[in-house]
Each structure stands twice: as C-alpha cells, then as structure tokens.
C-alpha cells in the first residue's frame, strides 16, 4: 500500500515586492510523480537547490502543490480539513537542532506536539516517556536541551515527532550539523524506528554512506526525480551520479575504478565487507 | 543539577515552598506585597518581618541569595534617605547643622519606606527563587485566562514566554560567539566613551538580528509541522493541580492577612 503519493506535482516559489506584485517565480518541483510504500526507508539525494526540502514540505502539508496532488496516508494535502491530519501522520525533523526545540525542558518539548493535538495529560505523559525511551533519551526528561549535544538534540526532535504517533517521518538533512558520533546515533535511531515500528522514513541527506543504508534511493535534480532505485543500482551508475554533481560512497568508487581498469567484478558494491568478499573470490578463482 | 541550566533566578532545592502550586505562590506574594502597604504599628511591621523571615527559612534558599536582590535597590534607598533628610517636613528636630535639618518625622518616613522596599524585594525574590520560569509561565497563563474573553491571547502570551525562555541561553551563547569573533578581528568593546562603545556593539547586533530572524523562521516552520495552531485550545502534559499543601498554604496566607489587619491597630 502506498502511503505517500505524488501525481504530476508542481510547486512554485513566488517572490513579491511591497505592492504584492510578483517579481520572481521559481519552479522548484516540476511534474513530479512518486510513490512510497508503507514501511519503506527511502533516502533522498540531490545537489543543493534540487528541490529536496520542497519535496519534504509538500509531504508534511507545510506547502500545497500548485498543480497535481499529494496524497499522504490517504489524505489529499490540498484539502484544508486534511492539513492537521497530514501533519500528524507525517512528522518532520529539520536540519538545525537548535531551531526546532520549543521548550526549555526536554520533556515539555516532546509534549509540544501531543499538546497541540489536544490529547489528555496522562496520555501525553505516557507518550512522551515512550518516545524518549525509544530514542534513548529518557533520562534527560527534565534536563534543559541547551547543554545537550547536537545528536542528542536531534534525537529529542525525533522523539517530539514520535510522540504524535506518526506513520511517516521525514528528516531534512538531520545530520548535516552533527559530529560523526551524533550522526551515527541519529541514523541508528531512524533505522531502529523503521525496523521496529514500521515507520515509513524519508531521509534527505548529502552523506552517501547514510543513503547506502536505505532500501531505496531517490536522486533529485532540477525539481525532478533523476534516479530511483536500490542503493546498489543507483551507486553503480557512477558517471550519471557525477553528472548530477554527486559522489558515490568511497567503496563504490573503488569498485567502479577496478571494474573500469578491467577487473572482473560486478558493480554496485556498497560495503567494505562486500568488497573484501568479492576480492577474495577473485583471488580464489585466479 | 550539573547539566540543568538555570534560567532566571530559580534556586533548586527540596522545600515545601518549591513544591507549592505556582498559582498559590503568586497569590501569596501578591497578598504579601499588598498587605505591607497596610502595615502601620510597630507590631504590624514586626509581624510582617517575622512572617517573611519564616518563609525564607522554609524555602531553604541561602539568605545570601535573598539579599542579592537588595543590592539593586541600594541606590534607591540611599537616594530616598537623602531626600527625606533634606526635605521631609516635621517639627521634632533631632539634628541641625546650617541648612541640614533632620527631623524625627523624616526619619520615620524613611524607615517605613525602606522597610517596605526591602520586604517587597525579598518577598518577590522568594517567588522567583523557588519557582521555575516554566511554572511561573503556567501560573501567569492561568491568571490571564479570564481576560481571554475580552480578546487577550493568554495561551499565545504563555507560548511567547516559553519560547523566549528557551532562546535566551541560545542567543546569549551566540552573542558571546560573535563578540569573540569580532574581538579576534580587533574589535574593542571595553574602552572608549559611551558613544564609542555603543558603536562597537553594532557589528554584534547586526549578525545577531539576522540569525534571530532565521531562527524565528525555522522555529515557526517546526512548530507548524508539529501541528501548532492558535484556533483551538491546547492541552497540557502537566495540568496545574492543587494538593493538600496548597490549601494549607492558602490558609496560611489568609492568616497573614488577618493578622496584619489586626496588628495594624496595636
Ligand atoms: N522560500 C523560497 N523562496 C524562493 N525560492 C526558494 C525558496 N526556498 C527554496 N527556493 C528555491 O527553490 C529551489 C529548491 O530549493 P530546496 O527545495 O530548498 O532545495 P534543496 O533542499 O534540495 O537544497 C532552490 O533553487 C531555491 O533557491
Ligand atoms: Mg534543503
């Protein structure tokens, strides 16, 4: 069952001057078609300005398409009454951990979403504890978020989304401002939620090693989907990736270079383990 | 308490006052501040002071912190003292030296005013030292709620305060960072006259403003994404709820009011 569906979606940013006259139009999403199945873990890659964040905002009903329809969990995001249902079922985590935490106490911040939904106190408390537990931050319940690390703050932001009990979580470059340790923790959390709670995850990132962990990769370019497939399929097209001004994981690059210089091995190797296995196999055969 | 950042003056301790409902503490402080304007006789002053001293002891907050608040009014005290000494009317002269004339009435007037100020500051310090800013916000929202009928957005005001509290440390840290960056480029914030120093602040304020706008934009989006809306009543994870101690405290406050009114005439 598809939980996110884009049908011929276009979106345009419009700049106006003081007199509300249009000075500039920019079509950030162009005639885009996409469907994502329930429980999928999709990574979205793309050069700066390719329309990734716009795509994310369309899923969360923060913006509505100019033409075409976006359907999330069966709700058309263009219909006024659906907006809060869509936002409840598709939670969103943003890039800057500091700019999305609302309260000065961790527990209170996680409670923000459920409070907006008008849920009863006892139930909110239960959800907040459960959400903090599943991101491994329960012991920080009554801490101030201010002194926590970036990775911890992002996990609190994830807990804030979880407390609304969403079906989908969209993360817009959640690890861009984090150190390697923080990145690892955040990614682990996302993968765990996807695996254990079957939460459909859409991870926008510019780290290829993160994208390699997904079940599916979508590459955006100029407001359109340029590539769509399994990580091995996408990354094996090294030249096309370069054309789109993107890198591939180091090991895939090595794989590509070996292949190009005549070594007999398949393309699409993503991990060091796969590479060593493949090399050992070659050695045995030789 | 290591990582918990204390904003405002909150002093964490485990006392009855800390645990009281913030609304009760608000009422208590308000009642106290109002009542000390009724104090007249020596006995009533004594009563008010003893009552407050008892509160200080119960609060388990070091007296040193309580007195810190007084520093800020020291100037006002000295100023009114001088004014009273020079200009207070009265016949009973206690000291005269050329044009300086100190009268008993003037001294009494000053003493009363000083006592009032000191008690006022200490009583409000007890409130802010024993109540977290978040709890204060909740109490404020409660007291503003009746005004929602005449269009006062109580819920939104409370939300604004919550966000302000959240961002004060972030912005302070950012200011510090910018200042350091400017200093590294040779900026000088410490020397020169008032104008020069004010001018030196411009390169700090401009980036601070720009980044604050960006933050505000991001935050607004994050809040919307989490279903924030102003057209419905939000629920709360922690509802304010009176416990037995809160009722006892209200009885105590009533007792104080009655006591002061009675002692006033002795
Ligand atoms: N608020 C905006 N107003 C005008 N143009 C915008 C706005 N936000 C994004 N754009 C433009 O839309 C394009 C896509 O932006 P975005 O979706 O943020 O890309 P990405 O997240 O992939 O970097 C960019 O060219 C950007 O300049
Ligand atoms: Mg972006």
């Amino acid at each position: 069952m598809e939980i996110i569906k884009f049908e011929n979606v276009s979106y345009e940013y419009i700049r106006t001057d003081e007199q509300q006259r249009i000075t500039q139009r920019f079509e950030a999403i162009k005639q885009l078609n996409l469907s994502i199945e329930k429980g999928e873990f999709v990574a979205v890659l793309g050069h700066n300005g390719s329309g990734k964040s716009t795509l994310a905002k369309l899923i969360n009903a923060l913006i509505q398409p100019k033409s075409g329809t976006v359907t999330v969990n069966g709700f058309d995001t263009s219909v006024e009454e659906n907006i809060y249902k869509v936002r409840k079922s598709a939670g969103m985590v943003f890039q800057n951990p500091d700019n999305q935490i609302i309260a000065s106490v961790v527990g209170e911040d996680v409670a923000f979403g459920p409070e907006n939904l008008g849920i009863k106190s006892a139930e909110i408390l239960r959800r907040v504890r459960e959400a903090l537990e599943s991101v491994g931050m329960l012991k920080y319940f009554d801490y101030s978020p201010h002194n926590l690390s970036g990775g911890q703050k992002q996990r609190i932001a994830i807990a804030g989304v979880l407390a609304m009990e969403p079906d989908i979580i969209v993360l817009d470059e959640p690890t861009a401002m984090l150190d390697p340790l923080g990145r690892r923790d955040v990614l682990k959390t996302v993968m765990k939620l996807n695996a254990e709670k079957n939460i459909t995850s859409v991870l926008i990132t510019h780290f290829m090693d993160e994208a390699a962990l997904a079940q599916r990769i979508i590459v955006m370019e100029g407001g359109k989907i340029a590539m769509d497939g399994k990580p091995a399929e996408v990354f094996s097209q090294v030249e096309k990736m370069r054309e789109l001004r993107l890198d591939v994981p180091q090991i895939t690059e090595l794989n590509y270079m070996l292949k190009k210089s005549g070594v007999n091995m398949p393309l699409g190797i993503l991990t060091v383990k796969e590479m060593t296995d493949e090399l050992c196999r070659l050695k045995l055969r030789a | 308490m290591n990582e918990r950042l204390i904003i405002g003056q909150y002093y964490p301790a485990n006392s009855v006052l800390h645990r009281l409902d913030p609304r009760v503490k608000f009422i208590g402080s308000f009642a106290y501040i109002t009542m000390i304007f009724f104090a007249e006789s020596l006995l009533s002053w004594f009563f008010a002071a003893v009552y407050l001293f008892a509160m200080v002891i119960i609060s388990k907050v070091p007296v040193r912190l309580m007195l810190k608040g007084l520093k800020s009014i020291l100037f006002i005290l000295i100023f009114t003292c001088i004014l009273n000494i020079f200009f207070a009317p009265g016949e009973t002269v206690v000291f005269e030296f050329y044009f300086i004339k100190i009268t008993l009435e003037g001294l009494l007037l000053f003493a009363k005013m000083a006592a009032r100020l000191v008690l006022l500051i200490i009583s409000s310090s007890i409130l802010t030292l024993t109540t977290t800013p978040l709890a204060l916000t909740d109490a404020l929202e409660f007291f503003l709620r009746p005004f929602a009928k005449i269009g006062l957005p109580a819920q939104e005001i409370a939300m604004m305060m919550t966000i302000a509290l959240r961002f004060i440390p972030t912005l302070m840290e950012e200011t510090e960072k910018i200042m350091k960056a400017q200093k590294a480029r040779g900026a000088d914030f410490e020397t020169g006259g008032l104008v020069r120093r004010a001018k030196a602040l411009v390169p700090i304020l401009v980036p601070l403003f720009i980044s604050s706008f960006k933050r505000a934009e991001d935050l607004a989006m994050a809040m919307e994404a989490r279903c924030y809306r102003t057209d419905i009543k939000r629920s709360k994870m922690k509802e304010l709820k009176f416990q037995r101690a809160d009722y006892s405290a209200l009885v105590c406050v009533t007792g104080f009011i009655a006591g002061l009114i009675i002692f006033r005439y002795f």
Side-chain angles (χ1 to χ4, degrees):
Chain A
M1 191 197 95
E2 60 216 356
I3 195 160
I4 301 173
K5 196 171 172 69
F6 280 59
E7 285 166 294
N8 294 319
V9 174
S10 296
Y11 184 81
E12 206 172 43
Y13 286 106
I14 296 172
R15 287 225 176 95
T16 55
D17 60 12
E18 291 88 44
Q19 281 94 47
Q20 301 298 315
R21 280 183 310 224
I22 296 170
T23 54
Q24 211 182 352
R25 287 162 171 271
F26 184 85
E27 199 168 39
I29 296 285
K30 295 172 191 151
Q31 292 286 316
L32 187 134
N33 285 292
L34 167 70
S35 65
I36 293 175
E37 298 292 313
K38 181 153 178 53
E40 250 189 308
F41 177 11
V42 182
V44 180
L45 295 175
H47 202 263
N48 269 347
S50 59
K52 304 182 299 293
S53 298
T54 311
L55 184 86
K57 285 185 235 166
L58 282 165
I59 297 175
N60 189 266
L62 283 170
I63 53 179
Q64 279 74 33
K66 183 190 79 167
S67 64
T69 49
V70 178
T71 318
V72 173
N73 221 1
F75 300 115
D76 181 342
T77 64
S78 299
V79 179
E80 183 80 30
E81 302 94 79
N82 287 347
I83 288 183
Y84 293 102
K85 290 180 202 154
V86 170
R87 290 188 187 157
K88 190 231 154 260
S89 56
M92 194 149 165
V93 176
F94 298 87
Q95 182 178 52
N96 189 330
D98 271 324
N99 297 357
Q100 56 186 319
I101 291 177
I102 289 125
S104 44
V105 176
V106 168
E108 296 284 340
D109 184 73
V110 176
F112 179 77
E115 285 178 343
N116 290 334
L117 301 174
I119 290 161
K120 292 229 167 61
S121 315
E123 169 67 7
I124 297 180
L125 190 66
R126 186 194 67 74
R127 285 188 182 197
V128 169
R129 298 185 133 269
E130 195 184 297
L132 281 172
E133 177 82 69
S134 51
V135 299
M137 292 292 291
L138 186 55
K139 74 170 199 203
Y140 295 95
F141 189 95
D142 47 20
Y143 276 54
S144 154
H146 183 247
N147 290 334
L148 301 181
S149 75
Q152 289 175 318
K153 282 183 202 166
Q154 282 305 51
R155 283 190 280 152
I156 286 165
I158 294 175
V161 165
L162 283 182
M164 301 203 295
E165 305 198 330
D167 302 291
I168 305 162
I169 179 164
V170 182
L171 305 105
D172 190 355
E173 304 199 24
T175 54
M177 298 174 77
L178 306 185
D179 55 28
L181 223 66
R183 271 180 58 196
R184 197 200 58 198
D185 286 343
V186 167
L187 215 71
K188 256 193 186 163
T189 309
V190 174
M191 291 180 69
K192 185 183 133 198
L193 296 175
N194 176 250
E196 287 175 9
K197 302 198 181 208
N198 200 31
I199 295 179
T200 311
S201 309
V202 179
L203 173 72
I204 299 174
T205 181
H206 60 253
F207 293 109
M208 299 303 146
D209 52 332
E210 289 180 4
L213 297 170
Q215 295 159 1
R216 173 179 170 194
I217 293 181
I218 291 169
V219 183
M220 304 250 331
E221 169 68 15
K224 290 183 176 155
I225 293 179
M227 292 165 88
D228 183 351
K230 290 209 170 65
E233 291 162 15
V234 170
F235 286 139
S236 58
Q237 292 166 277
V238 177
E239 262 141 35
K240 181 136 191 224
M241 289 290 279
R242 287 220 182 109
E243 233 171 77
L244 300 172
R245 290 170 294 172
L246 291 171
D247 288 324
V248 298
Q250 274 183 348
I251 208 78
T252 316
E253 173 119 41
L254 177 66
N255 177 209
Y256 173 75
M257 275 153 56
L258 286 172
K259 174 96 182 170
K260 219 169 116 183
S261 57
V263 179
N264 178 24
M265 56 166 37
L267 280 173
I269 287 176
L270 294 176
T271 61
V272 177
K273 172 130 191 352
E274 282 175 74
M275 178 57 94
T276 46
D277 286 353
E278 193 60 42
L279 289 173
C280 291
R281 209 175 47 77
L282 278 174
K283 179 108 177 31
L284 281 177
R285 252 193 298 173
Chain B
M1 290 318 303
N2 41 15
E3 289 199 24
R4 281 179 226 188
L5 187 85
I6 308 309
I7 316 165
Q9 313 186 18
Y10 181 66
Y11 178 85
N14 186 15
S15 80
V16 183
L17 281 190
H18 281 77
R19 282 191 302 269
L20 279 185
D21 188 300
R23 291 171 295 180
V24 173
K25 287 189 259 188
F26 244 106
I27 294 170
S29 303
F30 186 74
Y32 188 85
I33 290 168
T34 319
M35 288 318 289
I36 49 178
F37 284 91
F38 285 94
E40 208 36 77
S41 66
L42 200 61
L43 196 59
S44 60
W45 279 110
F46 184 69
F47 176 64
V50 168
Y51 177 85
L52 196 68
F53 189 68
M55 289 302 148
V56 173
I57 301 295
I58 295 173
S59 76
K60 294 191 186 163
V61 177
V63 179
R64 169 180 54 83
L65 284 179
M66 293 280 176
L67 297 181
K68 231 169 120 186
L70 289 179
K71 253 194 222 152
S72 55
I73 58 157
L74 203 63
F75 172 74
I76 302 177
L77 279 182
I78 293 169
F79 188 68
T80 47
C81 176
I82 293 169
L83 272 188
N84 272 303
I85 286 168
F86 279 108
F87 303 112
E91 273 80 61
T92 340
V93 177
V94 275
F95 178 80
E96 197 161 2
F97 181 74
Y98 292 105
F99 61 95
I100 300 173
K101 192 175 82 183
I102 298 175
T103 67
L104 191 63
E105 287 83 357
L107 278 180
L108 270 176
L109 204 69
F110 167 70
K112 255 189 209 163
M113 166 141 179
R116 230 166 241 155
L117 266 176
V118 168
L119 294 184
L120 190 144
I121 296 288
I122 293 181
S123 66
S124 49
S125 292
I126 294 179
L127 176 67
T128 52
L129 283 162
T130 62
T131 319
T132 62
L134 210 69
L136 282 176
T137 308
D138 282 347
L140 194 77
E141 183 181 356
F142 176 83
F143 289 118
L144 288 180
R145 215 174 284 158
F147 299 103
K149 286 197 188 68
I150 56 163
L152 191 86
Q155 192 171 280
E156 284 70 43
I157 290 175
M159 180 55 69
M160 273 163 56
M161 283 182 59
T162 307
I163 292 171
L165 287 171
R166 152 73 184 82
F167 278 92
I168 287 168
T170 309
L171 292 182
M172 277 184 0
E173 193 180 280
E174 185 154 26
T175 312
E176 220 165 87
K177 250 191 227 161
I178 298 172
M179 269 177 114
K180 271 188 196 146
Q182 306 285 22
K183 269 187 198 164
R185 288 168 179 77
D188 176 8
F189 303 114
E190 270 102 35
T191 59
L194 202 62
V195 178
R196 225 196 105 133
R197 281 200 209 187
K199 267 189 187 161
L201 284 179
V202 173
I204 295 173
L205 291 179
V206 171
L208 197 64
F209 267 116
I210 292 172
S211 94
S212 300
F213 278 118
K214 169 78 181 128
R215 282 185 197 284
E217 209 176 295
D218 282 2
L219 190 73
M221 191 181 286
M223 287 171 73
E224 266 190 60
R226 282 162 80 182
C227 294
Y228 181 69
R229 56 202 287 192
T230 50
D231 53 347
I232 54 160
K233 192 176 175 300
R234 306 178 67 235
S235 56
K236 267 185 179 306
M237 178 168 68
K238 285 189 195 138
E239 298 275 9
L240 291 179
K241 215 170 152 197
F242 270 33
Q243 308 293 328
R244 192 176 299 159
D246 296 309
Y247 292 108
S248 317
L250 282 182
V251 171
C252 199
V253 170
T254 318
F256 168 74
I257 295 173
L260 200 85
I261 292 173
I262 294 166
F263 286 133
R264 179 172 198 245
Y265 300 104
F266 285 97

